[in-house]
């Protein structure tokens, strides 16, 4: 997980043994937590005694759960106490460990663990971390590192394991030096800034002052109110125009490194000469201590000692004294007092950090800003850069990894039951993340010119490379391969299409069908595709090896029965129709994929498919075809449009949504006709008019139920991330994924029974009150009636179902005819059941079809046109509708694109989407969406231009070129001049033309002539030609003015998209006298990497079942299922992953609702840390996580922390999308309430009034959200004793309640009560004032009641605005929750005010403001 490369155990001191996943698999107990995690089993306080309910929620795993008592191979360890719940019956035990020079200590282990993992723990513990070369002995017998503990004789509770120092070898000595260096660097963030070894940044601890856990409880004395300084920095206040960049990375005091050692490096005397080798010398080190003492150290088999060498004379004899020590730390502690003191302090700090701050992430996250970091001497880094690191990094010493073999063998692992599947998924995930890391390193090496091409004679664009068993090719149209399809533009698009194909086939996971490991890397303007190598393919010509498909886009085509059989299995889930095409001899050839898809049998006998760029059907909106008319919906929007290339295809999500939509029509028609027949048979039961009216209401409900089923299974990719654009993410995660408890177990079967499953599932309709918010355009019908209320529908469904089931035999012909008609109407390829598939070769140039399939081809063409029209007429409006009702809330470019992709809308439709928004009557309420869309469109156009711009820049001018481009793009300075590198470097090179230059790198200074007006003109052109969107601005300032953009947001978006890293400082974009950027401000340029994300399917099913349970109001069961999911996720992904983040967030929400505040706090803290580390410190999800953490902090009485977190969230949000965004209203309400609670009334009003303004703008002035905002403002005015203003606001609120929910409603009554109270207070105050005026100073004044708000009332309001409401639960739950209920009596009171508005037992996302 960490170690890109150093998978040797020792080299990665502070990452859990996850790296060893391939060496054995005790991997993921995140054990660095050592002692702490013993107290806190990984996720939820209900440690190992909670058993999972084998009841309704757990679908097919329950039988397995019982059957596999102990043979199971999940990991163990303190983090996984819950693991034992479901899979492991044998519990952990404690052993004593005796290390030299320390007291024996206890360590809890589990029988599944390997000895290796105890090694890891010892290398991470504060008192034993300096040892790497030791063995563990039990009664004098050395334990085998790779043995499982349960297989070791005599090892039991209380056994004593001795740590015995072993003699070093060269490998062990290197590992030791590496480990010591890692310990010395453990607090140093430079790896995170440089984007290496899967390190990334996290700043949470700065705002929480370390860990929230126990320290939080100590601070919680009641006197906390006095010493809070609540004033936020100026730039965070509402209305502030400045957007500083520096606070993005607050200074962490821990990072000021305590220097232990000035230099630690390999000596120039290495390697030892023969005679010294025979004395046991392994290598020589050179060090400079903090006290400026220069020493030369010998690493020998017996340990480390000082020798008498100096920089210029070699004298390997031991010095006197030699301080021979088994570990470098012991040696250095003896010769340098500063080392001893600082090293101890450093290790103390290291073990205090939250483990999530130091575990490596599965994929590298890059930071787009960084401070100026001093470049220190580092022997390990230097060695890594210039050696191939192959000798001792890999598992099989002396060999590079055979990526293809690893990727394919992990796929072949058994998957019959849960433990096997976990093992398989873990292996797949591990190899994928390692492969992605290696491919990224290789691609950078290729572009930087450090890899020799395999065809060095050809021109640079055509070169191909092999490095570390990975094949690299550049995204250019080599040998006019794509000439017909759009040349270089097509060659640039093909790799991402191919990757989508690999992803789709990988998700279907058919046994016996293999795809290549594929990673697409964009770096320095070049697109590099990295692929694993099919065994034997390099020795043969392509013509000989392709036995299925076509190598010349359909002129010659071959097929193969085995391939047809394998691809047939993918046909249904991927909706690919089996079809015939003509080859060069005019014979019909059967295919079950597009013609470009090639089948090659490798030398290993496996069936590989590659070139999957046309897995999904073409998008006719962007593919004008002679003589073909698109449906009017498309034509009205100006389609078809010319696109750069002819490879534009529909997204998988769109295909799924389209098929769902058609299924809905199919059911509707069948039910309608059946009802009519029935009505004709017996009119007395029901008049046909009713029959006609009925399906409309039914359909959307059954459909939504069904749709989630198939969607979630295949698009785990898309649905998984719903969180990001949900309004209150955690909860909507619950609603958006609204899932059916009994998910089918593996994706293929779920898909292959698409029809039957859907029909069965649809009966679950009523359970999912929220299903229709799912975002897919259900249909214009929004009938939400539960189905039972519709008479006769069930019978209709049954008939349709039995038809499907029995293949139409044995049913009266009338019914069969009904289905036949319905099938025809929706374009199904079968006449007896609903089945839509696409032929991906339609409209491919050069592909010819047999005569006899002409009718079928016509049908297919129509289907494609319908799908294209569906995207424009259904999906885009549905996206906009979701943004209007705030069920989709994108905050930045990434979340916007995710929202598009979830609905199957490609980015090339961005212009169309924006035009649609522009024409929407409610445009004002979509301003935030429009602004984010424009920002995205501009930065994407700039990215396209930047790509070609960079290709003409040679390496020595790179920072100058990038800063010049940014100046032209963002700076108001009109004549940005480029700084060319100093002449003497350039001129001499011009004379000798070198052949083998970096791809495309010309001695070229054309980039320097770019001007701001030219760049913006090009951006306008690009917007017009690519997105068909007309931009009316010729400079950055006009764009900012016209669309209300922020330059800092533009900078963030362009940096993230292109991989630029800039110096973190304040930039003056608006100066007209000097450019904003200099070349010193460009620190780095990173790759932008696309790869497959393997999924943890079982964990995901558990997660979904848990969500379904929670939605049905079974909190405790839901909580258990989600805990279970968390264990399984940890098992597959290791400790860090986006999906684990979602899991933790939901869990903490449940903890909070069930009254366990400390537990909620601890889980949410993990969620925030993880979100910062895997998504980025200012990703919209991270902002959401910060807000939730603040709420739980407040509930735990940590007010100042809650405020700091909210201020941080507000700062990040200002930076990411500015102040004008609906989510800002929620954030400001939160801040306002907390400030009200600490009696900062004026500040509180600034935030609450801003929130009121934003709510009014985005929800309309009649919305219940606005009413609530008015009420919150009124309460603050009341506290200030400004009763007139308070009355004014409360009246507004009252009017809204009265008009929206009526006089009798709870809310309206409450509001009117409050009005009475305010009026009374105002009258009292007025009397008192009059008294004072009349009688002067001797007036008798009634004491006035000024109410400081109680914390409980503030918390109650916080819960309401964050959509958390406590509602009386079922009897059983009440028994369980008795204790909490008493503890939270007041809150329960406040909760009652809501209960009558709810029918369901419990809804997390109670959107009280139902607009």
């Amino acid at each position: 997980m960490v170690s890109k490369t150093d998978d040797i155990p020792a080299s990665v001191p502070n990452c859990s043994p996850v790296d060893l996943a391939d060496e054995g698999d005790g991997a993921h107990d995140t054990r660095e937590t050592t002692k702490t995690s013993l107290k806190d089993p990984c996720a939820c306080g209900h440690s190992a005694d909670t058993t999972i309910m084998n009841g309704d929620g757990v679908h097919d795993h329950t039988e397995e759960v019982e059957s596999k008592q102990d043979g199971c191979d999940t990991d163990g360890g303190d983090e996984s106490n819950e693991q034992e719940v479901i899979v492991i019956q044998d519990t952990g035990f404690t052993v004593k460990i005796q290390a030299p020079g320390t007291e024996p200590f206890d360590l809890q282990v589990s029988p599944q663990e390997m000895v290796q993992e105890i090694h890891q723990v010892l290398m991470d513990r504060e008192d034993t971390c300096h040892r790497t070369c030791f063995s563990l002995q039990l009664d004098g017998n050395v334990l085998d590192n790779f043995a499982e503990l349960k297989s070791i004789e005599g090892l039991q509770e209380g056994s004593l394991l001795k740590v015995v120092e072993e003699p070093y070898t060269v490998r062990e000595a290197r590992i030791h030096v590496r480990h010591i260096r890692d310990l010395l660097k453990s607090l140093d963030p430079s790896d995170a800034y440089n984007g290496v070894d899967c390190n990334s940044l996290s700043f949470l601890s700065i705002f929480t002052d370390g860990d929230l856990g126990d320290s939080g409880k100590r601070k919680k004395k009641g006197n906390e109110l006095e010493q809070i300084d609540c004033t936020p920095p100026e730039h965070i206040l509402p209305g502030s125009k400045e957007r500083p960049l520096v606070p993005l990375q607050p200074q962490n005091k821990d990072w000021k490194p305590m220097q232990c050692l000035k230099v630690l490096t390999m000596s120039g005397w290495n390697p030892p000469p023969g005679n010294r080798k025979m004395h046991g010398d392994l290598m020589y080190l050179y060090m400079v201590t903090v006290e400026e003492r220069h020493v030369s150290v010998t690493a020998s088999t017996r340990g480390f000692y000082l020798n008498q060498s100096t920089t210029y004379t070699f004298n390997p004899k031991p010095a006197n004294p030699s301080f021979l020590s088994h570990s470098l730390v012991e040696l250095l502690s003896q010769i340098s007092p500063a080392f001893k003191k600082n090293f101890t302090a450093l290790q103390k700090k290291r073990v205090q950090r939250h483990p999530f701050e130091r575990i490596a992430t599965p994929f590298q996250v890059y930071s787009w800003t960084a401070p100026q970091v001093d470049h220190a001497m580092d022997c390990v880094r230097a060695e890594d850069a210039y050696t191939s690191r192959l000798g001792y990094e890999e598992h099989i010493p002396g060999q590079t990894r055979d990526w293809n073999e690893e990727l394919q063998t992990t796929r072949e692992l058994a998957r019959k039951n849960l433990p096997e599947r976990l093992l398989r998924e873990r292996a797949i995930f591990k190899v994928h993340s390692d492969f992605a890391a290696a491919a990224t390193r290789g691609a950078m090496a290729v572009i930087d010119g450090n890899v020799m091409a395999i065809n060095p004679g050809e021109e640079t664009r055509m070169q191909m490379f092999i490095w570390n068993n990975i094949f690299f090719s550049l995204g250019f149209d080599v040998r006019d391969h794509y000439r017909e399809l759009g040349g270089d533009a097509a060659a640039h698009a093909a790799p991402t299409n191919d990757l989508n194909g690999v992803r789709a086939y990988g998700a279907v996971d058919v046994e016996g069908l293999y795809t290549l490991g594929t990673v697409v890397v964009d770096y320095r303007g070049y697109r590099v595709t990295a692929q694993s190598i099919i065994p034997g393919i390099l020795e043969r010509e392509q013509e000989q090896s392709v036995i299925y498909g076509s190598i010349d886009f359909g002129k010659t085509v071959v097929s193969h029965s085995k391939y047809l059989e394998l691809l047939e299995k993918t046909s249904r889930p991927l909706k690919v129709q089996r079809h015939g095409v003509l080859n060069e001899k005019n014979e019909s050839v059967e295919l079950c994929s597009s013609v470009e898809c090639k089948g090659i049998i490798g030398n290993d006998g496996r069936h590989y498919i590659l070139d999957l760029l046309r897995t999904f059907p073409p998008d006719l909106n962007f593919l004008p075809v002679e003589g073909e008319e698109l449906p009017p919906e498309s034509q009205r929007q100006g389609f078809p449009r010319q696109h750069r290339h002819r490879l534009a295809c529909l997204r998988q999500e769109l295909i799924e949504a389209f098929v769902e939509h058609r299924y809905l029509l199919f059911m509707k028609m069948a039910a309608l006709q059946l009802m009519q027949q029935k009505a004709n048979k017996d009119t007395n039961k029901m008049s046909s008019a009713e029959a006609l009216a009925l399906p409309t209401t039914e359909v959307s409900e059954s459909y939504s139920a069904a749709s989630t089923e198939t969607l979630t299974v295949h698009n785990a990719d898309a649905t998984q991330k719903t969180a990001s654009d949900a309004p209150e993410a955690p909860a909507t995660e619950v609603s958006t994924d609204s899932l059916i408890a009994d998910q089918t177990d593996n994706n293929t079967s779920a898909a292959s029974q698409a029809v039957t499953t859907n029909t069965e599932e649809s009966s679950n309709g009523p359970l999912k009150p929220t299903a229709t918010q799912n975002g897919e355009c259900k249909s214009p019908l929004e009938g939400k009636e539960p189905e039972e209320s519709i008479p006769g529908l069930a019978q209709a469904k049954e008939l349709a179902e039995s038809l499907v089931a029995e293949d139409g035999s044995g049913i009266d012909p009338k019914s069969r005819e009904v289905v036949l008609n319905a099938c025809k109407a929706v374009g199904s390829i079968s006449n007896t059941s609903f089945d839509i598939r696409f032929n991906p070769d339609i409209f491919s140039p050069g592909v010819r079809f047999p005569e006899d399939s002409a009718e079928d081809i016509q049908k297919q063409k129509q289907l494609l046109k319908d799908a294209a029209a569906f995207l424009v007429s259904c999906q885009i409006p549905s996206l906009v509708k979701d943004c209007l009702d705030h069920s989709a809330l994108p905050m930045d470019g990434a979340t916007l694109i995710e929202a598009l992709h979830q609905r199957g809308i490609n980015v090339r439709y961005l212009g169309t989407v924006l035009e649609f928004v522009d024409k929407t009557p409610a445009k004002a309420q979509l301003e935030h969406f429009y602004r984010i869309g424009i920002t995205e469109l501009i930065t994407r156009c700039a990215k396209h231009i930047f790509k070609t711009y960079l290709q003409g820049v040679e390496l020595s001018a790179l920072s100058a070129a990038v800063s010049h481009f940014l100046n032209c793009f963002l700076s108001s300075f009109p004549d940005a001049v480029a700084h060319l590198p100093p002449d003497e470097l350039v001129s001499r090179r011009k004379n000798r033309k070198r052949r083998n230059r970096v791809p495309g790198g010309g001695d070229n200074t054309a980039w320097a002539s770019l001007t701001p007006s030219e760049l913006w003109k090009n951006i306008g052109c690009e917007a017009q030609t690519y997105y068909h969107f007309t931009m009316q601005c010729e400079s950055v300032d006009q764009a900012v003015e016209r669309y209300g953009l922020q330059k800092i947001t533009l900078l963030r978006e362009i940096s993230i998209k292109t991989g630029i890293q800039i110096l973190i400082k304040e930039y003056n974009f608006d100066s007209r006298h000097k450019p904003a950027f200099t070349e010193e401000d460009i620190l780095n340029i990173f790759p932008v990497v696309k790869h497959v994300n393997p999924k943890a399917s079982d964990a995901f099913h558990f997660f979904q079942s848990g969500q379904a349970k929670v939605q049905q109001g079974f909190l405790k069961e839901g909580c258990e299922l989600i805990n279970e999911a968390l264990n399984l996720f940890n098992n597959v992904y290791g400790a860090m992953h986006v999906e684990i983040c979602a899991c933790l967030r939901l869990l903490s929400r449940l903890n909070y609702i069930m009254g366990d505040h400390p537990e909620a706090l601890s889980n949410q803290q993990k969620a925030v840390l993880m979100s910062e580390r895997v998504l980025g410190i200012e990703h919209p999800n991270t902002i959401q996580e910060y807000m939730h953490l603040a709420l739980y902090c407040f509930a735990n009485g940590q007010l100042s922390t809650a405020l700091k977190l909210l201020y941080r969230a507000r700062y990040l949000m200002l930076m990411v999308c500015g102040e004008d965004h609906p989510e800002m209203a929620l954030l400001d309400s939160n801040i306002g309430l907390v400030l009200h609670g600490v009696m900062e009334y004026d500040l509180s009003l600034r935030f609450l009034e801003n929130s009121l303004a934003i709510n009014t703008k985005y929800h309309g002035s009649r919305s219940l959200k606005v009413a609530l905002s008015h009420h919150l403002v009124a309460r603050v005015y009341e506290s200030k004793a400004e009763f007139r203003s308070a009355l004014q606001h409360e009246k507004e609120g009252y009017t809204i309640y009265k008009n929206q929910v009526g006089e009798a409603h709870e809310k309206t009554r409450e509001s009117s009560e409050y009005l009475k109270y305010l009026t009374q207070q105002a009258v009292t105050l007025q009397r008192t004032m009059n008294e004072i005026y009349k009688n002067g100073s001797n007036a008798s004044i009634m004491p006035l009641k000024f109410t400081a708000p109680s914390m409980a009332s503030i918390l109650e309001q916080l819960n309401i605005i964050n959509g958390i409401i406590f509602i009386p639960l079922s009897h059983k739950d009440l028994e369980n929750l008795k204790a909490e209920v008493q503890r939270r009596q007041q809150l329960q009171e406040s909760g009652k005010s809501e209960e009558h508005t709810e029918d369901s037992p419990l809804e997390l996302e109670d959107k009280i403001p139902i607009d």
Side-chain angles (χ1 to χ4, degrees), residues 29 68 101 127 194-195 199 207 281 343 644 661 774 872 879 932 943 1194 1224 1312 1342 1406:
D29 66 286
K68 44 171 182 331
D127 47 358
N194 296 330
N199 284 308
F207 301 100
D281 291 9
F343 187 77
R644 296 257 149 100
H661 176 72
N774 217 19
V872 179
L879 167 73
I932 293 166
K943 178 186 79 172
F1194 187 91
M1224 192 55 100
S1312 97
M1342 288 269 301
D1406 167 89

Side-chain angles (χ1 to χ4, degrees), residues 900-911:
L900 262 71
H901 284 173
Q902 272 177 17
R903 292 160 183 77
I905 305 167
N906 311 66
V907 178
R908 59 177 170 270
Y909 284 96
L910 187 55

Side-chain angles (χ1 to χ4, degrees), residues 232-244:
E234 213 32 55
H235 60 263
I236 292 179
L237 287 172
S240 162
K241 283 284 167 274
E242 53 168 330
R243 298 279 180 267

Side-chain angles (χ1 to χ4, degrees), residues 1251-1314:
S1251 161
L1252 173 61
I1254 296 177
N1255 270 334
T1256 312
K1257 171 171 178 180
Y1258 286 109
H1259 293 274
S1261 54
R1262 323 266 1 102
S1263 142
L1264 297 183
K1265 265 204 169 59
V1266 176
L1268 185 58
S1269 266
H1270 277 300
H1271 174 63
L1272 297 180
V1273 175
R1275 287 178 38 144
V1276 183
Y1277 275 123
E1278 179 212 342
S1279 299
K1280 288 182 69 179
E1282 294 183 17
F1283 295 113
R1284 184 164 298 153
S1285 309
L1287 275 165
Q1288 204 179 330
H1289 280 286
E1290 191 55 43
K1291 273 190 194 128
E1292 294 276 333
Y1294 173 72
T1295 321
I1296 297 177
Y1297 282 131
K1298 195 171 73 180
N1299 296 341
Q1300 296 287 347
V1301 290
E1303 292 276 5
H1305 191 280
E1306 192 79 16
K1307 278 290 183 199
T1308 322
R1309 289 211 304 272
E1310 262 175 38
S1311 182
S1312 97
E1313 287 296 306
Y1314 186 53

Side-chain angles (χ1 to χ4, degrees), residues 683-984:
T683 353
N684 52 355
K685 275 202 190 156
M686 181 180 172
S687 76
S688 55
E690 274 171 283
L692 280 168
L694 121 236
T696 39
T697 36
E698 154 282 307
V699 199
S700 62
E701 189 53 61
S702 71
Y703 170 54
S704 53
S707 79
T708 37
E709 157 73 79
T710 34
L711 269 166
T712 37
V713 180
H714 316 306
N715 295 355
D717 227 58
T719 25
Q720 182 47 42
K721 303 200 197 79
T722 48
S724 62
D725 34 28
E728 270 86 310
T732 32
E733 210 153 304
V734 180
S735 64
T736 324
D737 282 355
S738 61
L739 287 145
I740 293 99
D742 36 46
Q743 279 281 353
T744 32
D745 184 41
N746 60 29
N747 309 6
T748 25
S749 72
S752 52
Q753 325 145 346
V755 177
T756 41
T757 343
N758 284 347
T759 32
E760 291 150 25
E761 295 297 5
S762 45
S763 54
N764 292 354
L767 299 180
K768 294 172 293 304
T770 41
T772 29
Q773 298 169 4
N774 217 19
E776 285 68 48
C777 169
K778 301 305 186 252
S779 82
L781 330 158
E782 286 292 342
K784 297 222 172 58
E785 251 172 87
E787 288 150 34
E788 282 77 75
S789 61
I790 302 164
L793 185 76
Q795 297 91 305
K797 276 222 181 103
E798 235 164 77
L799 261 166
E801 226 168 282
S802 56
L803 278 168
V804 174
E806 301 171 27
D807 236 8
S809 51
I811 287 171
D812 65 294
K814 270 194 179 158
S815 308
R816 199 174 313 152
E817 180 194 351
V818 164
V819 174
L820 178 68
N821 293 340
C823 284
K824 273 201 178 131
V826 296
S828 164
I829 57 169
S830 139
N831 286 336
T832 52
S833 68
F834 175 82
D835 188 359
I836 285 189
R837 304 185 198 185
F838 293 88
N839 173 344
D841 282 332
I842 305 266
F843 298 127
S844 289
V847 177
R848 300 170 306 138
F849 298 103
E851 292 295 306
D852 54 4
S853 60
E855 185 192 342
D856 196 36
I857 299 300
Q858 245 352 87
K859 254 188 175 171
Q860 279 295 333
K861 287 184 175 173
Q862 191 49 48
L863 207 52
L864 280 181
K865 291 175 188 174
D866 293 349
F870 170 75
L871 196 158
V872 179
S873 62
C874 234
Q875 295 303 77
I876 292 180
S878 120
L879 167 73
V880 174
K881 181 181 149 299
D882 285 346
C883 290
L884 263 177
D885 61 25
H886 303 281
S887 50
L889 256 190
M891 253 192 241
D892 69 342
T895 43
L896 170 74
I897 298 308
E898 207 170 278
L900 262 71
H901 284 173
Q902 272 177 17
R903 292 160 183 77
I905 305 167
N906 311 66
V907 178
R908 59 177 170 270
Y909 284 96
L910 187 55
T912 316
V913 173
L914 290 175
E915 275 176 3
F916 185 87
V917 171
D918 210 14
K919 296 191 187 109
T920 309
K923 187 192 170 193
Q925 296 187 18
L926 288 165
E927 218 170 280
H928 65 292
F929 179 81
Y930 193 70
R931 187 179 315 107
I932 293 166
I934 293 279
T935 306
E936 183 68 0
L937 190 128
I938 291 176
T939 43
R940 279 179 179 263
C941 293
K943 178 186 79 172
H944 296 169
I945 297 163
F946 185 66
K947 186 183 77 201
T948 39
Y949 171 87
L950 268 193
Q951 288 175 5
V953 178
E954 59 172 31
L955 197 49
S956 62
L958 202 55
S959 57
V962 173
S963 64
H964 178 59
F965 183 88
L966 289 178
N967 280 329
C968 293
F969 182 45
L970 294 172
S971 178
S972 307
F973 181 57
D975 31 329
V977 183
H979 300 281
L980 290 175
D983 281 348
E984 71 276 11

Side-chain angles (χ1 to χ4, degrees), residues 1399-1411:
D1399 316 324
S1400 57
L1402 174 116
E1403 287 240 328
L1404 284 192
E1405 177 68 275
D1406 167 89
K1407 294 262 191 50
I1408 273 247
I1410 312 127
D1411 285 276

Side-chain angles (χ1 to χ4, degrees), residues 938 972 1016 1031-1045 1047 1072:
I938 291 176
S972 307
W1016 277 90
M1031 276 182 32
Q1032 293 113 338
C1033 48
E1034 278 131 48
S1035 72
V1036 67
D1037 294 319
Q1038 286 181 20
V1040 166
E1041 190 53 40
R1042 184 180 157 78
Y1043 299 112
L1045 312 179
K1047 287 189 176 179
R1072 305 196 66 79

